[in-house]
Amino acid sequence: MLNPLSTVIGVKTDLSQSDIPAPPETGPSIQDNFYVNGDVPTQNKEYANMQVVADGNKNKTQTLWYKNQIDITKPFATSFYVYMAGSYDSTTGKANDIADGITFTMQSAGTGAIGNGGGSLGVYGTMNTSWNNFGGISHALSMEFDPYYNDDPAQYHGTDHDAIPNNPHHQHIAFVKNEDNVIISGASRKMIHNSVYDADANNDNFAYPYTNINDTAKWKKVIIQWTPDTSTGKGIISGNYDGHDIKPYTLDLSYLNANNNKVYWGFTGSTGEHSMLAAIAYTGIAQQPTIKKTVRNITNNETDFKQSTAAKKDDEIEYKISLNNSITNGLGDTWKGVTVKDTLPTGITPETSNLPSGISVNGNTVNVNVGDIPISNANKDITFKAKVSVNDNVNLDNIASAKGTNYPISSGSDVKSNEATVNISKIVVDSHPKLSIDNNVINKTYTDPSNTSTLVNNVLAGDNVVYNTSIKNSNPNAIFAGIFTYYFNIPNESNINSVKIDGKDVPATNTNQVQPYYYRITSLSNGDKQIALYQSDASIYNGDLTTHKIVVDTTISALMSKPVNTKHTIQYNDNNQVIQMYGSDTTVNPGPLGITLNPRDIKYVIRPSDKIDEIVDRSDEYNNAIPDLQVSDQRRDIASPAKITVSQKTPFTDSSNDQLPSVLRYYFDDGTYKVIDSNGIVIQTSAANNRLSSIYWSKDQGPKLLTNGTNFKVGNYKTTLTWTATDSL
């Protein structure tokens, strides 16, 4: 749409062609289909079906005649939009300076016909004179759109001709024959208006006054119907203006003075002492097949075809060419041997594969052999695809053309479509690397069921722990330049077996050496080690879309002192900026200690009355909720059976090193017992894939003391029992 350029604040007091908005519909090209006479303002090339008739200047006259005549013995219909607007008179509150008006006219005078300006609207002759020859375009039938508020006696509305009583100065629409005039006062001739539509009476200011700079005048649609009756020699013209029916008007066909029943038709308009903005937008030309071109962006998932679409380089678009040979606006006959030619603009390349039948491509030109198109209200649609091949901020538009063996008749030109536009936005190339980092860690020695790709548990001394990293630059336009460093933490107990990139060994070094890669090991304050892999070849990853793999193979030399989070980090140079990016963390957790035993102390009290070979029970019996031997079996592998043994290496002795004559027996659940000696006895076993459990003694179970001698001395005697868990039987 054209944007208003007025700089006046408040009311609109100036007129500018740039105030005319875009027409509401596309249609055939005015320049290709009409002869234009008189004063021709500069046209807006963006809207080929729009003709500016008056651009705000005074004393201008213009006519437009369609290049091919119509046969008045055949019915036809046509449609168009009219636009009339002017500045606002703040005194009267009306657009009194909008003048003089436009017409739709049928005439037989020829393609250069033009009448007088001002109130004659470019079609009538000299008004208010005593000339017997009224002048103007002879044998012209006009539908006039007159917005001028005046009391001009030349605008005659007789009572026999649908008068506007007492208000001859109203805005109006009427049918007028050029020679149809009367003498009212003296010798002055006045035009007779028929089937008058009183715009004021209908509260319809069809010529729009700009009352404010933000106002936007509206296009008004007009439909013309011509219905001849050759049996009576009459013709009926009727119309509809912006939804209002205009009363039909009947005239003799002979009035039009047609040559072989053919007349020209078109538009006229003029200004005189006053000015206006006026334009015609044509949407349906009488007795002519039409061609319309639309486009949609398939890449953007557009489903509707439109006059324009937005796109970027490599987008796939689809054009639709709609041919119509309708009953009302057609030739009245089959449009024969139709071919279509559509040369796409540079930057849009037609696709050559899977072309529909009848379509061929030669360079950037698409040719379509359509064949015959019968009279029908339905469109004949042709679609083909193309790709955007240019990367720039540019609007690319073009038209398609069609012709048949029996049309066009006299102009010799093709029927041309509207412009279909592809608005292309330049793709700004992203020169920044797009890195993705994928990390995982595995314990090749032992796979715990709880381990994941980023977590290994139960790591023990001797385990082979391997760190795998994948780095990818997914932006082919990015330069991954300069030195990069890739580093992460490993347990302090790690020994490096090998470091590889894409299967190639990377050496360790403590100096800056000129080689593609090298690595260093440093000790961190938190007790971890850090391995840092350096790249010194700037071209290794430039625009490389393959995935590069880093593998660090280690062995755990001793039991780990703590868990380690690896914190994978890459640091690189991007357009002279140092960038850090992080991969997913991997965690290495130390394994358990295996089996731990925690026995409680045992006490016995021997009285002087105790006899030889008498069993002495423990003096401190505990609640069964507390184990007598607490067992924690955290072995990471319980595939093999296990056992617990107890042994007594030395006898009971006191501080004087005197021995207590006694023997310790261990009683089992079935009442049997074994003597606890220095070799040890087995007190519990576990089957394969089972864990050892804590031991609870009843009064009849567990260690009991057997007195074994006579030389008892009073004292406090002690010994040590050794409890041992073994991961085998």
Side-chain angles (χ1 to χ4, degrees):
M1 180 178 286
L2 303 175
N3 296 320
L5 299 178
S6 171
T7 58
V8 179
I9 298 175
V11 297
K12 181 79 173 178
T13 59
D14 64 333
L15 295 174
S16 172
Q17 180 177 330
S18 61
D19 289 322
I20 301 176
E25 293 183 42
T26 61
S29 166
I30 293 286
Q31 296 299 317
D32 289 338
N33 291 282
F34 287 83
Y35 296 105
V36 183
N37 308 294
D39 300 297
V40 183
T42 302
Q43 302 300 307
N44 188 326
K45 294 181 179 179
E46 186 175 355
Y47 309 113
N49 70 316
M50 182 180 80
Q51 179 75 17
V52 177
V53 178
D55 60 358
N57 291 308
K58 300 177 181 179
N59 299 311
K60 301 292 182 180
T61 305
Q62 182 184 134
T63 63
L64 298 89
W65 306 117
Y66 183 56
K67 292 180 179 180
N68 292 310
Q69 294 174 289
I70 57 173
D71 187 338
I72 62 172
T73 65
K74 295 181 179 180
F76 74 86
T78 188
S79 62
F80 55 92
Y81 286 83
V82 296
Y83 178 93
M84 290 187 292
S87 58
Y88 175 66
D89 188 325
S90 60
T91 301
T92 64
K94 296 182 178 181
N96 286 333
D97 58 354
I98 301 178
D100 278 280
I102 57 179
T103 78
F104 169 86
T105 296
M106 300 166 61
Q107 52 87 11
S108 57
T111 59
I114 187 167
N116 290 342
S120 295
L121 304 183
V123 62
Y124 310 133
T126 305
M127 296 182 179
N128 301 321
T129 71
S130 59
W131 298 351
N132 290 327
N133 182 5
F134 192 64
I137 302 175
S138 63
H139 299 283
L141 171 64
S142 299
M143 181 182 190
E144 71 169 34
F145 303 85
D146 190 338
Y148 192 36
Y149 287 100
N150 66 357
D151 198 3
D152 188 345
Q155 304 292 325
Y156 174 70
H157 307 277
T159 56
D160 294 332
H161 301 279
D162 303 315
I164 303 176
N166 304 318
N167 290 292
H169 63 282
H170 279 199
Q171 289 188 351
H172 60 271
I173 299 172
F175 293 113
V176 179
K177 292 190 299 182
N178 196 11
E179 288 82 4
D180 195 7
N181 52 79
V182 297
I183 298 176
I184 292 180
S185 174
S188 296
R189 293 182 179 273
K190 290 80 181 173
M191 303 302 299
I192 297 177
H193 290 60
N194 306 282
S195 303
V196 179
Y197 169 76
D198 185 347
D200 286 331
N202 286 278
N203 294 317
D204 182 11
N205 284 349
F206 63 79
Y208 191 89
Y210 279 95
T211 60
N212 186 283
I213 61 172
N214 294 320
D215 285 348
T216 302
K218 296 180 179 179
W219 287 91
K220 300 298 180 70
K221 187 170 185 177
V222 180
I223 300 173
I224 301 291
Q225 296 278 350
W226 171 255
T227 306
D229 186 347
T230 55
S231 64
T232 62
K234 301 288 185 179
I236 301 173
I237 187 170
S238 62
N240 182 281
Y241 168 79
D242 197 33
H244 301 283
D245 287 330
I246 307 301
K247 189 175 181 179
Y249 172 63
T250 302
L251 75 163
D252 293 331
L253 294 177
S254 60
Y255 166 75
L256 291 170
N257 195 29
N259 181 14
N260 293 324
N261 297 325
K262 299 292 183 67
V263 299
Y264 291 96
W265 63 272
F267 305 94
T268 74
S270 65
T271 59
E273 295 179 1
H274 299 286
S275 62
M276 67 176 176
L277 295 178
I280 296 290
Y282 221 88
T283 56
I285 293 181
Q287 289 189 301
Q288 173 173 317
T290 61
I291 176 172
K292 181 179 180 181
K293 185 175 181 182
T294 51
V295 64
R296 67 177 178 175
N297 190 321
I298 296 176
T299 301
N300 290 346
N301 297 317
E302 290 182 352
T303 56
D304 296 332
F305 287 91
K306 300 172 293 183
Q307 187 171 342
S308 65
T309 188
K312 292 183 175 64
K313 186 178 183 297
D314 296 328
D315 280 3
E316 185 179 41
I317 60 177
E318 186 174 24
Y319 288 104
K320 180 168 74 172
I321 297 173
S322 299
L323 302 168
N324 187 277
N325 185 24
S326 70
I327 294 173
T328 55
N329 290 331
L331 285 167
D333 195 3
T334 298
W335 191 12
K336 299 178 181 179
V338 179
T339 58
V340 172
K341 181 179 181 180
D342 190 357
T343 300
L344 302 184
T346 301
I348 298 179
T349 305
E351 296 183 1
T352 57
S353 60
N354 300 319
L355 290 174
S357 177
I359 298 180
S360 62
V361 174
N362 183 10
N364 236 38
T365 300
V366 177
N367 296 292
V368 187
N369 184 11
V370 181
D372 294 347
I373 301 179
I375 297 175
S376 171
N377 282 325
N379 288 331
K380 172 68 175 180
D381 291 333
I382 301 161
T383 60
F384 62 90
K385 296 177 181 178
K387 276 202 171 182
V388 177
S389 56
V390 65
N391 185 32
D392 201 356
N393 293 315
V394 62
N395 297 333
L396 299 181
D397 47 34
N398 76 306
I399 63 174
S401 61
K403 63 181 178 180
T405 58
N406 61 336
Y407 189 83
I409 300 173
S410 63
S411 67
S413 62
D414 298 343
V415 183
K416 296 181 179 179
S417 74
N418 58 288
E419 289 184 334
T421 303
V422 181
N423 302 308
I424 301 172
S425 299
K426 184 176 182 179
I427 300 173
V428 179
V429 177
D430 183 3
S431 61
H432 300 283
K434 287 184 172 58
L435 300 184
S436 60
I437 304 174
D438 181 49
N439 309 112
N440 70 77
V441 59
I442 59 173
N443 186 347
K444 297 182 71 174
T445 303
Y446 174 73
T447 301
D448 191 286
S450 64
N451 289 348
T452 65
S453 62
T454 59
L455 172 71
V456 291
N457 294 313
N458 294 327
V459 176
L460 299 178
D463 284 357
N464 181 200
V465 178
V466 179
Y467 305 88
N468 298 281
T469 297
S470 296
I471 302 177
K472 182 177 181 179
N473 173 24
S474 60
N475 185 3
N477 301 306
I479 298 177
F480 192 26
I483 295 175
F484 81 79
T485 305
Y486 186 79
Y487 52 92
F488 59 94
N489 294 0
I490 59 177
N492 187 56
E493 295 79 13
S494 301
N495 289 334
I496 303 297
N497 299 324
S498 65
V499 177
K500 295 179 181 293
I501 289 186
D502 296 335
K504 297 179 181 180
D505 289 321
V506 177
T509 182
N510 291 319
T511 61
N512 291 326
Q513 299 182 10
V514 180
Q515 49 189 339
Y517 304 102
Y518 57 92
Y519 76 89
R520 292 178 186 167
I521 300 292
T522 56
S523 296
L524 304 179
S525 60
N526 66 352
D528 296 342
K529 286 180 181 178
Q530 184 183 85
I531 181 168
L533 178 67
Y534 297 85
Q535 175 201 22
S536 60
D537 185 345
S539 66
I540 290 176
Y541 284 103
N542 292 358
D544 191 346
L545 302 185
T546 60
T547 300
H548 294 270
K549 297 184 180 298
I550 300 173
V551 179
V552 177
D553 189 294
T554 70
T555 297
I556 305 300
S557 62
L559 185 64
M560 290 173 52
S561 60
K562 65 183 184 66
V564 174
N565 186 287
T566 54
K567 304 183 186 302
H568 293 259
T569 306
I570 188 168
Q571 181 175 295
Y572 60 95
N573 187 292
D574 181 15
N575 293 334
N576 296 319
Q577 288 188 340
V578 176
I579 306 296
Q580 278 193 335
M581 182 178 174
Y582 305 96
S584 54
D585 290 347
T586 56
T587 302
V588 179
N589 287 318
L593 297 177
I595 304 172
T596 58
L597 305 177
N598 186 21
R600 68 178 179 86
D601 291 340
I602 302 173
K603 294 182 179 180
Y604 299 95
V605 178
I606 302 176
R607 298 177 298 278
S609 61
D610 288 336
K611 300 178 181 178
I612 297 175
D613 297 331
E614 187 166 342
I615 298 297
V616 180
D617 289 330
R618 298 180 300 277
S619 60
D620 50 349
E621 293 295 336
Y622 284 85
N623 188 300
N624 283 340
I626 301 174
D628 295 284
L629 177 63
Q630 187 172 15
V631 179
S632 177
D633 188 350
Q634 298 183 28
R635 291 172 297 160
R636 70 181 188 187
D637 187 356
I638 58 173
S640 60
K643 65 182 178 180
I644 299 176
T645 61
V646 59
S647 62
Q648 182 183 0
K649 301 297 183 182
T650 60
F652 284 93
T653 57
D654 63 8
S655 58
S656 301
N657 207 28
D658 290 331
Q659 294 186 8
L660 178 68
S662 62
V663 173
L664 277 175
R665 293 178 178 176
Y666 190 93
Y667 285 85
F668 297 95
D669 294 347
D670 60 0
T672 62
Y673 68 87
K674 288 184 179 180
V675 174
I676 302 174
D677 55 21
S678 59
N679 294 322
I681 62 170
V682 177
I683 63 170
Q684 187 185 104
T685 60
S686 70
N689 299 313
N690 286 275
R691 299 188 182 278
L692 295 169
S693 59
S694 295
I695 297 176
Y696 299 83
W697 297 322
S698 67
K699 183 177 180 180
D700 296 328
Q701 297 170 344
K704 294 180 180 290
L705 184 67
L706 173 65
T707 60
N708 184 18
T710 58
N711 55 341
F712 292 108
K713 291 177 58 177
V714 176
N716 187 11
Y717 296 87
K718 295 181 179 180
T719 189
T720 299
L721 296 181
T722 302
W723 307 86
T724 304
T726 306
D727 192 8
S728 63
L729 296 182

